Amino acid sequence: MRFASADLLAKAGRRRWWVIGLALVVIAAVVAAFTLTRKPQTAVLPRPHPHVSQAATHSQLATRLLSRLTDALSGDSRRAVVALAARHHGAADQLSAIYTNVQRLDIVGLSMRYVDDDADALSAARKKALGGRAWVGQVDLRWRIDGYDQNSSDMEVSLTLVETPHGARFASARGAFGDAAPLWLLQPVKVRHADRWLVMVAGTNKIRRFATLAADAVADVDKVLTGWRGSLVIEVPADESELDRALGASREQYADIAAVTTTVDGTMSSTAPVHIFVNPPVFDPLGPRGSRIVLSHEATHVATNAVTTSMPTWLIEGFADYVALDHVNLPVSVTGSEILARVRKDGPPSHLPNAHDFATSNTALGASYEAAWLACRLLAQTYGEDELIRFYRMSARDSSTRQAFEKVFGTDKTSFTHAWQRYLAKLAQ
Protein backbone atom coordinates (compact mmCIF):
# COMPACT_ATOMS: atom_id res chain seq x y z
CA MET A 1 0.00 0.00 0.00
CA ARG A 2 1.00 3.63 -0.22
CA PHE A 3 2.18 5.40 2.90
CA ALA A 4 1.02 8.96 3.42
CA SER A 5 3.60 10.06 5.96
CA ALA A 6 6.78 8.01 5.76
CA ASP A 7 6.72 5.08 8.14
CA LEU A 8 4.39 6.63 10.72
CA LEU A 9 1.33 5.67 8.69
CA ALA A 10 2.52 2.17 7.90
CA LYS A 11 -0.32 -0.26 7.57
CA ALA A 12 -0.07 -4.03 7.50
CA GLY A 13 -1.32 -6.53 4.99
CA ARG A 14 -4.32 -8.79 4.92
CA ARG A 15 -4.40 -12.53 4.56
CA ARG A 16 -4.40 -13.79 1.01
CA TRP A 17 -7.62 -15.26 -0.32
CA TRP A 18 -6.26 -17.69 -2.86
CA VAL A 19 -5.98 -21.37 -2.19
CA ILE A 20 -3.25 -23.52 -3.61
CA GLY A 21 -4.68 -26.63 -5.16
CA LEU A 22 -2.75 -29.74 -4.29
CA ALA A 23 -3.26 -31.96 -7.29
CA LEU A 24 -2.46 -35.60 -6.88
CA VAL A 25 -1.91 -37.28 -10.25
CA VAL A 26 -2.25 -41.03 -10.16
CA ILE A 27 -0.39 -42.99 -12.79
CA ALA A 28 -2.69 -45.72 -14.00
CA ALA A 29 -1.18 -49.16 -14.40
CA VAL A 30 -1.07 -50.39 -17.97
CA VAL A 31 -2.78 -53.73 -18.18
CA ALA A 32 -1.86 -55.53 -21.34
CA ALA A 33 -4.00 -58.27 -22.80
CA PHE A 34 -2.14 -61.45 -23.48
CA THR A 35 -1.80 -62.40 -27.14
CA LEU A 36 -1.59 -66.14 -27.04
CA THR A 37 0.43 -68.07 -29.57
CA ARG A 38 -0.09 -71.71 -30.42
CA LYS A 39 1.92 -72.55 -27.33
CA PRO A 40 -0.45 -71.64 -24.49
CA GLN A 41 2.39 -71.50 -21.99
CA THR A 42 3.86 -68.39 -23.63
CA ALA A 43 2.51 -64.87 -24.07
CA VAL A 44 3.58 -61.65 -25.77
CA LEU A 45 3.07 -58.30 -23.98
CA PRO A 46 2.85 -55.06 -25.97
CA ARG A 47 5.71 -52.61 -25.37
CA PRO A 48 4.65 -49.88 -22.90
CA HIS A 49 4.62 -46.27 -24.04
CA PRO A 50 8.09 -44.73 -23.40
CA HIS A 51 6.68 -41.86 -21.31
CA VAL A 52 4.74 -44.22 -19.06
CA SER A 53 7.85 -46.38 -18.56
CA GLN A 54 9.98 -43.34 -17.78
CA ALA A 55 7.41 -41.91 -15.38
CA ALA A 56 7.17 -45.20 -13.55
CA THR A 57 10.95 -45.38 -13.30
CA HIS A 58 11.15 -41.82 -12.02
CA SER A 59 8.49 -42.55 -9.44
CA GLN A 60 10.35 -45.59 -8.13
CA LEU A 61 13.70 -43.81 -8.06
CA ALA A 62 12.29 -40.68 -6.44
CA THR A 63 10.34 -42.61 -3.81
CA ARG A 64 13.50 -44.37 -2.65
CA LEU A 65 15.48 -41.12 -2.63
CA LEU A 66 12.83 -39.18 -0.71
CA SER A 67 12.56 -41.91 1.91
CA ARG A 68 16.31 -41.78 2.49
CA LEU A 69 16.37 -37.99 2.41
CA THR A 70 13.57 -37.67 4.95
CA ASP A 71 15.31 -40.04 7.32
CA ALA A 72 18.63 -38.24 6.90
CA LEU A 73 17.16 -34.75 7.43
CA SER A 74 15.40 -35.95 10.56
CA GLY A 75 18.60 -37.52 11.88
CA ASP A 76 21.81 -35.99 13.14
CA SER A 77 24.18 -36.67 10.25
CA ARG A 78 24.88 -33.90 7.77
CA ARG A 79 27.09 -36.33 5.86
CA ALA A 80 24.17 -38.68 5.23
CA VAL A 81 22.13 -35.81 3.83
CA VAL A 82 24.87 -34.44 1.56
CA ALA A 83 25.56 -37.94 0.23
CA LEU A 84 22.18 -37.77 -1.53
CA ALA A 85 23.14 -34.71 -3.60
CA ALA A 86 23.88 -34.85 -7.31
CA ARG A 87 27.38 -33.88 -8.34
CA HIS A 88 26.24 -30.73 -10.09
CA HIS A 89 25.95 -26.99 -9.46
CA GLY A 90 25.91 -26.67 -5.70
CA ALA A 91 23.44 -29.46 -4.92
CA ALA A 92 25.48 -30.52 -1.89
CA ASP A 93 25.52 -26.95 -0.57
CA GLN A 94 21.75 -26.73 -0.96
CA LEU A 95 21.15 -29.95 0.93
CA SER A 96 23.59 -28.91 3.64
CA ALA A 97 21.70 -25.61 4.06
CA ILE A 98 18.36 -27.42 4.19
CA TYR A 99 19.70 -29.75 6.85
CA THR A 100 20.89 -26.77 8.91
CA ASN A 101 17.50 -25.07 8.56
CA VAL A 102 15.65 -28.20 9.67
CA GLN A 103 17.85 -28.44 12.75
CA ARG A 104 17.64 -24.72 13.62
CA LEU A 105 13.87 -24.60 13.24
CA ASP A 106 13.37 -27.93 15.00
CA ILE A 107 11.20 -29.22 12.19
CA VAL A 108 9.39 -32.43 13.10
CA GLY A 109 6.95 -34.75 11.36
CA LEU A 110 8.85 -34.29 8.10
CA SER A 111 7.65 -36.38 5.17
CA MET A 112 8.08 -36.26 1.40
CA ARG A 113 5.80 -38.20 -0.96
CA TYR A 114 6.40 -38.32 -4.70
CA VAL A 115 3.35 -37.22 -6.70
CA ASP A 116 4.24 -36.95 -10.39
CA ASP A 117 6.70 -35.85 -13.06
CA ASP A 118 6.65 -32.42 -14.58
CA ALA A 119 7.91 -33.79 -17.87
CA ASP A 120 8.46 -30.51 -19.74
CA ALA A 121 9.69 -28.31 -16.89
CA LEU A 122 13.42 -28.49 -17.60
CA SER A 123 14.92 -26.87 -20.67
CA ALA A 124 17.20 -28.92 -22.90
CA ALA A 125 20.14 -26.79 -21.78
CA ARG A 126 19.40 -27.39 -18.12
CA LYS A 127 19.05 -31.13 -18.68
CA LYS A 128 22.38 -31.17 -20.48
CA ALA A 129 24.02 -29.25 -17.65
CA LEU A 130 22.74 -31.85 -15.21
CA GLY A 131 23.96 -34.76 -17.26
CA GLY A 132 20.97 -35.41 -19.48
CA ARG A 133 18.97 -37.61 -17.09
CA ALA A 134 17.39 -34.94 -14.91
CA TRP A 135 13.73 -34.21 -14.37
CA VAL A 136 11.41 -32.15 -12.17
CA GLY A 137 9.12 -33.98 -9.79
CA GLN A 138 6.18 -32.76 -7.74
CA VAL A 139 6.56 -33.76 -4.12
CA ASP A 140 4.02 -33.52 -1.32
CA LEU A 141 5.97 -32.01 1.57
CA ARG A 142 4.67 -32.14 5.13
CA TRP A 143 6.28 -30.61 8.23
CA ARG A 144 5.76 -28.78 11.52
CA ILE A 145 7.89 -26.36 13.54
CA ASP A 146 7.96 -27.91 16.98
CA GLY A 147 6.73 -25.67 19.77
CA TYR A 148 5.14 -23.08 17.45
CA ASP A 149 2.96 -24.86 14.89
CA GLN A 150 0.12 -26.79 16.47
CA ASN A 151 -0.47 -28.75 13.27
CA SER A 152 1.47 -29.69 10.16
CA SER A 153 1.70 -27.74 6.92
CA ASP A 154 1.18 -29.63 3.68
CA MET A 155 2.51 -28.21 0.41
CA GLU A 156 3.29 -29.53 -3.05
CA VAL A 157 6.79 -28.45 -4.08
CA SER A 158 8.99 -28.96 -7.13
CA LEU A 159 12.33 -30.74 -6.80
CA THR A 160 14.88 -31.19 -9.56
CA LEU A 161 16.25 -34.72 -9.46
CA VAL A 162 18.91 -36.60 -11.42
CA GLU A 163 19.06 -40.27 -12.33
CA THR A 164 22.48 -41.80 -11.63
CA PRO A 165 23.86 -45.36 -11.64
CA HIS A 166 23.28 -45.33 -7.88
CA GLY A 167 19.66 -44.18 -8.02
CA ALA A 168 18.06 -40.74 -8.01
CA ARG A 169 19.91 -37.81 -6.47
CA PHE A 170 18.81 -34.34 -5.36
CA ALA A 171 19.82 -31.48 -7.69
CA SER A 172 17.82 -28.44 -6.52
CA ALA A 173 14.75 -27.16 -4.70
CA ARG A 174 15.13 -23.63 -6.05
CA GLY A 175 13.76 -24.04 -9.55
CA ALA A 176 10.71 -21.81 -10.11
CA PHE A 177 8.20 -24.08 -11.84
CA GLY A 178 5.00 -22.51 -10.58
CA ASP A 179 4.83 -24.26 -7.21
CA ALA A 180 5.09 -22.68 -3.79
CA ALA A 181 7.92 -23.68 -1.44
CA PRO A 182 8.66 -22.98 2.23
CA LEU A 183 11.41 -20.47 2.87
CA TRP A 184 13.53 -23.00 4.73
CA LEU A 185 13.68 -25.16 1.60
CA LEU A 186 14.90 -22.31 -0.60
CA GLN A 187 17.69 -20.52 1.25
CA PRO A 188 19.81 -20.66 4.40
CA VAL A 189 17.92 -18.91 7.19
CA LYS A 190 19.00 -17.35 10.44
CA VAL A 191 16.73 -18.29 13.34
CA ARG A 192 16.03 -16.72 16.69
CA HIS A 193 13.22 -17.65 19.07
CA ALA A 194 11.73 -17.21 22.52
CA ASP A 195 8.76 -18.80 24.27
CA ARG A 196 6.17 -16.73 22.35
CA TRP A 197 7.85 -16.03 19.00
CA LEU A 198 10.18 -17.37 16.33
CA VAL A 199 11.72 -15.49 13.41
CA MET A 200 13.47 -16.96 10.39
CA VAL A 201 15.37 -14.52 8.20
CA ALA A 202 16.98 -15.06 4.81
CA GLY A 203 19.51 -12.96 2.94
CA THR A 204 21.04 -9.86 4.49
CA ASN A 205 18.03 -8.96 6.65
CA LYS A 206 18.99 -8.29 10.26
CA ILE A 207 17.87 -11.03 12.61
CA ARG A 208 18.19 -8.78 15.69
CA ARG A 209 15.76 -6.23 14.24
CA PHE A 210 13.05 -8.82 13.68
CA ALA A 211 13.62 -10.53 17.01
CA THR A 212 13.01 -7.17 18.74
CA LEU A 213 9.93 -6.50 16.61
CA ALA A 214 8.52 -9.97 17.32
CA ALA A 215 8.86 -9.46 21.07
CA ASP A 216 7.26 -6.01 20.81
CA ALA A 217 4.38 -7.35 18.72
CA VAL A 218 3.56 -10.02 21.31
CA ALA A 219 3.65 -7.39 24.05
CA ASP A 220 1.38 -5.02 22.10
CA VAL A 221 -1.23 -7.71 21.50
CA ASP A 222 -1.06 -8.84 25.13
CA LYS A 223 -1.94 -5.30 26.29
CA VAL A 224 -5.34 -5.49 24.59
CA LEU A 225 -6.05 -9.23 24.26
CA THR A 226 -4.99 -10.12 27.77
CA GLY A 227 -6.16 -13.72 27.49
CA TRP A 228 -4.08 -14.58 24.43
CA ARG A 229 -1.34 -17.09 25.11
CA GLY A 230 -0.36 -17.96 21.55
CA SER A 231 2.89 -17.41 19.65
CA LEU A 232 4.12 -15.84 16.41
CA VAL A 233 6.23 -17.17 13.56
CA ILE A 234 7.64 -14.46 11.29
CA GLU A 235 9.27 -15.33 7.97
CA VAL A 236 11.50 -12.79 6.23
CA PRO A 237 12.48 -13.73 2.65
CA ALA A 238 15.55 -12.20 1.06
CA ASP A 239 13.55 -10.46 -1.67
CA GLU A 240 10.25 -10.34 -3.55
CA SER A 241 11.07 -13.43 -5.61
CA GLU A 242 11.43 -15.54 -2.50
CA LEU A 243 8.21 -14.08 -1.12
CA ASP A 244 6.49 -15.06 -4.39
CA ARG A 245 7.62 -18.63 -3.84
CA ALA A 246 6.73 -18.74 -0.16
CA LEU A 247 3.21 -17.42 -0.83
CA GLY A 248 2.71 -19.19 -4.14
CA ALA A 249 1.39 -15.89 -5.45
CA SER A 250 1.99 -13.21 -8.04
CA ARG A 251 3.50 -9.95 -6.88
CA GLU A 252 0.43 -7.93 -7.82
CA GLN A 253 -1.51 -9.55 -5.00
CA TYR A 254 0.59 -7.93 -2.29
CA ALA A 255 2.41 -5.04 -3.98
CA ASP A 256 2.80 -2.10 -1.58
CA ILE A 257 1.85 -4.32 1.39
CA ALA A 258 4.52 -4.45 4.08
CA ALA A 259 3.56 -7.85 5.52
CA VAL A 260 1.04 -10.61 4.93
CA THR A 261 -0.53 -12.95 7.47
CA THR A 262 -1.66 -16.23 5.97
CA THR A 263 -1.65 -19.98 6.34
CA VAL A 264 1.71 -21.51 5.47
CA ASP A 265 0.25 -23.97 2.97
CA GLY A 266 -2.19 -21.49 1.40
CA THR A 267 -5.37 -23.28 2.45
CA MET A 268 -8.25 -21.81 4.42
CA SER A 269 -8.23 -24.69 6.89
CA SER A 270 -8.82 -23.58 10.47
CA THR A 271 -6.11 -26.02 11.62
CA ALA A 272 -3.39 -24.87 9.21
CA PRO A 273 -0.41 -23.07 10.80
CA VAL A 274 -0.51 -19.29 10.29
CA HIS A 275 2.68 -17.26 9.86
CA ILE A 276 3.52 -13.62 9.15
CA PHE A 277 5.44 -13.07 5.90
CA VAL A 278 7.40 -9.83 5.47
CA ASN A 279 7.64 -8.08 2.09
CA PRO A 280 11.23 -6.73 2.22
CA PRO A 281 11.10 -3.90 -0.38
CA VAL A 282 8.13 -2.29 1.41
CA PHE A 283 9.06 -3.20 4.98
CA ASP A 284 12.79 -2.40 4.92
CA PRO A 285 12.45 1.42 4.61
CA LEU A 286 10.16 1.63 7.65
CA GLY A 287 11.61 3.07 10.81
CA PRO A 288 11.27 1.51 14.27
CA ARG A 289 7.79 2.88 14.94
CA GLY A 290 6.32 2.07 11.54
CA SER A 291 7.73 -1.47 11.46
CA ARG A 292 6.40 -2.12 14.96
CA ILE A 293 2.91 -0.95 13.94
CA VAL A 294 2.97 -3.29 10.94
CA LEU A 295 3.97 -6.40 12.88
CA SER A 296 1.65 -5.64 15.80
CA HIS A 297 -1.20 -5.34 13.28
CA GLU A 298 -0.26 -8.70 11.77
CA ALA A 299 0.19 -10.28 15.19
CA THR A 300 -3.40 -9.28 15.98
CA HIS A 301 -4.55 -11.24 12.93
CA VAL A 302 -2.70 -14.27 14.28
CA ALA A 303 -4.06 -13.86 17.81
CA THR A 304 -7.68 -13.55 16.63
CA ASN A 305 -7.56 -16.31 13.99
CA ALA A 306 -8.48 -13.67 11.42
CA VAL A 307 -6.99 -15.64 8.52
CA THR A 308 -9.75 -18.25 8.57
CA THR A 309 -12.51 -16.06 10.03
CA SER A 310 -15.32 -14.67 7.93
CA MET A 311 -16.55 -11.23 9.01
CA PRO A 312 -16.64 -7.74 7.51
CA THR A 313 -13.21 -6.60 6.41
CA TRP A 314 -13.54 -3.21 8.09
CA LEU A 315 -13.77 -4.92 11.48
CA ILE A 316 -10.88 -7.32 10.88
CA GLU A 317 -8.54 -4.60 9.65
CA GLY A 318 -9.84 -1.83 11.88
CA PHE A 319 -9.45 -3.95 15.01
CA ALA A 320 -5.91 -4.96 14.04
CA ASP A 321 -4.99 -1.31 13.61
CA TYR A 322 -6.74 -0.47 16.89
CA VAL A 323 -4.45 -2.91 18.73
CA ALA A 324 -1.36 -1.68 16.88
CA LEU A 325 -2.11 2.04 17.30
CA ASP A 326 -4.08 2.30 20.54
CA HIS A 327 -0.99 2.54 22.70
CA VAL A 328 1.09 4.57 20.23
CA ASN A 329 1.46 8.20 21.17
CA LEU A 330 0.54 9.74 17.82
CA PRO A 331 -2.19 12.29 17.10
CA VAL A 332 -5.16 11.36 14.92
CA SER A 333 -4.09 14.10 12.53
CA VAL A 334 -1.11 11.87 11.67
CA THR A 335 -2.53 8.35 11.93
CA GLY A 336 -5.77 9.35 10.19
CA SER A 337 -4.41 11.93 7.77
CA GLU A 338 -5.49 10.24 4.52
CA ILE A 339 -9.12 9.62 5.41
CA LEU A 340 -9.50 13.01 7.11
CA ALA A 341 -8.13 14.77 4.03
CA ARG A 342 -10.71 12.95 1.92
CA VAL A 343 -13.49 13.89 4.33
CA ARG A 344 -12.48 17.55 4.11
CA LYS A 345 -12.59 17.35 0.32
CA ASP A 346 -15.58 15.09 -0.36
CA GLY A 347 -17.34 14.55 2.94
CA PRO A 348 -17.55 11.29 4.94
CA PRO A 349 -17.67 7.95 3.05
CA SER A 350 -21.13 6.59 2.27
CA HIS A 351 -20.36 3.20 3.84
CA LEU A 352 -17.96 1.39 6.13
CA PRO A 353 -14.96 0.10 4.13
CA ASN A 354 -15.73 -3.17 2.34
CA ALA A 355 -13.57 -5.82 0.69
CA HIS A 356 -13.38 -3.78 -2.52
CA ASP A 357 -12.00 -0.82 -0.58
CA PHE A 358 -9.21 -3.04 0.77
CA ALA A 359 -8.13 -4.34 -2.64
CA THR A 360 -4.43 -3.70 -3.21
CA SER A 361 -5.32 -2.01 -6.50
CA ASN A 362 -7.27 0.69 -4.65
CA THR A 363 -5.34 3.96 -4.78
CA ALA A 364 -7.08 5.02 -1.56
CA LEU A 365 -6.07 1.89 0.34
CA GLY A 366 -4.45 3.87 3.14
CA ALA A 367 -7.64 5.85 3.70
CA SER A 368 -9.62 2.59 3.91
CA TYR A 369 -7.39 1.27 6.70
CA GLU A 370 -7.65 4.54 8.58
CA ALA A 371 -11.44 4.70 8.19
CA ALA A 372 -11.76 1.16 9.57
CA TRP A 373 -9.42 1.94 12.46
CA LEU A 374 -11.42 5.04 13.37
CA ALA A 375 -14.63 2.98 13.36
CA CYS A 376 -13.14 0.63 15.97
CA ARG A 377 -11.69 3.56 17.87
CA LEU A 378 -15.16 5.15 18.03
CA LEU A 379 -16.65 1.90 19.38
CA ALA A 380 -13.98 1.68 22.07
CA GLN A 381 -14.40 5.33 23.07
CA THR A 382 -18.20 5.04 23.20
CA TYR A 383 -18.65 1.64 24.83
CA GLY A 384 -15.23 0.68 26.21
CA GLU A 385 -12.39 -1.52 24.99
CA ASP A 386 -13.77 -4.67 26.62
CA GLU A 387 -17.05 -4.26 24.73
CA LEU A 388 -15.17 -3.71 21.46
CA ILE A 389 -13.35 -7.00 22.03
CA ARG A 390 -16.63 -8.72 22.87
CA PHE A 391 -18.18 -7.30 19.70
CA TYR A 392 -15.24 -8.53 17.61
CA ARG A 393 -15.39 -12.05 19.03
CA MET A 394 -19.15 -12.34 18.62
CA SER A 395 -18.90 -11.12 15.02
CA ALA A 396 -16.18 -13.69 14.35
CA ARG A 397 -18.35 -16.44 15.81
CA ASP A 398 -21.39 -15.41 13.77
CA SER A 399 -19.51 -14.39 10.61
CA SER A 400 -21.61 -11.23 10.78
CA THR A 401 -21.95 -8.04 12.84
CA ARG A 402 -25.76 -7.96 12.81
CA GLN A 403 -26.44 -9.70 16.11
CA ALA A 404 -23.27 -8.35 17.69
CA PHE A 405 -24.33 -4.75 17.09
CA GLU A 406 -27.66 -5.43 18.76
CA LYS A 407 -26.51 -7.62 21.67
CA VAL A 408 -23.30 -5.78 22.57
CA PHE A 409 -24.13 -2.17 21.75
CA GLY A 410 -27.92 -2.09 21.51
CA THR A 411 -27.75 -0.54 18.03
CA ASP A 412 -27.48 -1.60 14.40
CA LYS A 413 -25.02 -1.16 11.55
CA THR A 414 -26.96 1.68 9.92
CA SER A 415 -27.14 3.75 13.11
CA PHE A 416 -23.47 3.12 13.83
CA THR A 417 -22.49 4.10 10.28
CA HIS A 418 -24.23 7.45 10.74
CA ALA A 419 -22.42 7.96 14.07
CA TRP A 420 -19.10 7.08 12.43
CA GLN A 421 -19.72 9.54 9.60
CA ARG A 422 -20.40 12.31 12.12
CA TYR A 423 -17.27 11.29 14.03
CA LEU A 424 -15.13 11.57 10.88
CA ALA A 425 -16.62 14.93 10.01
CA LYS A 426 -15.83 16.25 13.49
CA LEU A 427 -12.25 14.96 13.39
CA ALA A 428 -11.76 16.55 9.97
CA GLN A 429 -12.70 20.03 11.16
Side-chain angles (χ1 to χ4, degrees):
M1 70 181 302
R2 291 174 175 79
F3 305 110
S5 177
D7 63 276
L8 297 185
L9 297 185
K11 297 295 190 292
R14 176 74 170 110
R15 62 206 190 281
R16 70 189 189 266
W17 290 99
W18 58 91
V19 176
I20 300 171
L22 300 178
L24 303 181
V25 181
V26 180
I27 301 174
V30 178
V31 181
F34 285 97
T35 303
L36 298 179
T37 65
R38 291 182 181 180
K39 296 180 179 180
Q41 69 272 22
T42 65
V44 178
L45 298 179
R47 185 185 299 272
H49 190 281
H51 175 69
V52 174
S53 177
Q54 185 182 60
T57 300
H58 285 171
S59 179
Q60 294 168 1
L61 291 172
T63 297
R64 288 195 288 269
L65 169 66
L66 295 176
S67 176
R68 295 176 63 190
L69 181 58
T70 301
D71 290 343
L73 287 171
S74 301
D76 57 1
S77 172
R78 186 184 304 272
R79 179 178 297 179
V81 174
V82 174
L84 299 175
R87 299 180 182 276
H88 302 281
H89 303 286
D93 290 340
Q94 280 195 48
L95 274 187
S96 181
I98 291 170
Y99 173 79
T100 299
N101 291 344
V102 168
Q103 302 304 311
R104 286 177 175 172
L105 291 167
D106 198 9
I107 288 176
V108 297
L110 181 65
S111 69
M112 300 181 186
R113 182 177 61 83
Y114 194 74
V115 177
D116 194 19
D117 289 15
D118 191 346
D120 301 319
L122 286 181
S123 66
R126 179 61 174 160
K127 282 186 177 180
K128 183 178 180 180
L130 291 171
R133 302 186 69 84
W135 81 99
V136 172
Q138 271 70 54
V139 175
D140 185 66
L141 177 66
R142 190 173 178 85
W143 77 99
R144 178 172 61 86
I145 299 178
D146 195 29
Y148 299 91
D149 294 339
Q150 298 301 311
N151 299 291
S152 295
S153 296
D154 197 324
M155 183 183 292
E156 189 171 293
V157 301
S158 295
L159 299 183
T160 302
L161 307 175
V162 177
E163 183 179 348
T164 76
H166 307 290
R169 291 293 182 266
F170 171 94
S172 179
R174 297 176 183 173
F177 303 109
D179 290 322
L183 183 60
W184 60 265
L185 194 69
L186 299 175
Q187 291 289 346
V189 295
K190 300 180 285 290
V191 178
R192 189 168 293 183
H193 61 88
D195 289 343
R196 301 280 302 280
W197 55 265
L198 178 147
V199 294
M200 66 178 89
V201 176
T204 59
N205 293 290
K206 304 298 183 183
I207 187 71
R208 181 178 298 178
R209 177 193 186 193
F210 287 97
T212 299
L213 288 170
D216 289 342
V218 170
D220 289 345
V221 175
D222 280 347
K223 289 176 184 176
V224 179
L225 300 173
T226 56
W228 180 56
R229 293 293 179 267
S231 59
L232 303 178
V233 176
I234 301 173
E235 302 197 29
V236 188
D239 52 35
E240 284 180 313
S241 296
E242 281 189 8
L243 183 61
D244 290 347
R245 293 292 307 279
L247 296 180
S250 62
R251 202 157 302 167
E252 293 76 16
Q253 292 173 293
Y254 57 83
D256 297 331
I257 296 295
V260 177
T261 300
T262 188
T263 55
V264 177
D265 57 15
T267 69
M268 292 296 289
S269 170
S270 60
T271 61
V274 173
H275 293 181
I276 298 170
F277 296 82
V278 170
N279 186 10
V282 181
F283 193 93
D284 287 349
L286 301 178
R289 181 175 283 172
S291 55
R292 179 170 179 170
I293 290 170
V294 167
L295 288 187
S296 294
H297 176 116
E298 298 301 325
T300 304
H301 287 329
V302 175
T304 59
N305 300 315
V307 171
T308 56
T309 296
S310 177
M311 72 171 100
T313 311
W314 72 264
L315 181 55
I316 292 176
E317 298 301 347
F319 184 77
D321 262 0
Y322 173 82
V323 174
L325 292 169
D326 191 49
H327 300 283
V328 174
N329 187 24
L330 290 172
V332 177
S333 60
V334 173
T335 51
S337 61
E338 288 191 45
I339 185 58
L340 296 183
R342 286 181 171 270
V343 172
R344 293 186 194 103
K345 180 181 178 182
D346 302 320
S350 60
H351 59 273
L352 290 162
N354 55 31
H356 175 75
D357 297 317
F358 284 100
T360 55
S361 58
N362 180 13
T363 57
L365 183 59
S368 297
Y369 274 91
E370 292 172 2
W373 163 61
L374 287 171
C376 289
R377 185 176 186 263
L378 174 60
L379 290 172
Q381 289 179 343
T382 305
Y383 303 101
E385 185 172 276
D386 289 344
E387 292 299 273
L388 170 62
I389 295 170
R390 183 180 166 219
F391 172 73
Y392 183 94
R393 288 173 172 164
M394 187 177 295
S395 299
R397 183 197 66 195
D398 297 342
S399 299
S400 169
T401 60
R402 187 177 62 83
Q403 290 192 59
F405 265 123
E406 179 181 349
K407 292 183 177 181
V408 178
F409 302 133
T411 187
D412 56 32
K413 178 182 175 182
T414 300
S415 298
F416 171 70
T417 300
H418 293 328
W420 168 72
Q421 290 167 331
R422 292 191 298 270
Y423 181 62
L424 293 178
K426 182 178 181 180
L427 289 174
Q429 291 177 354

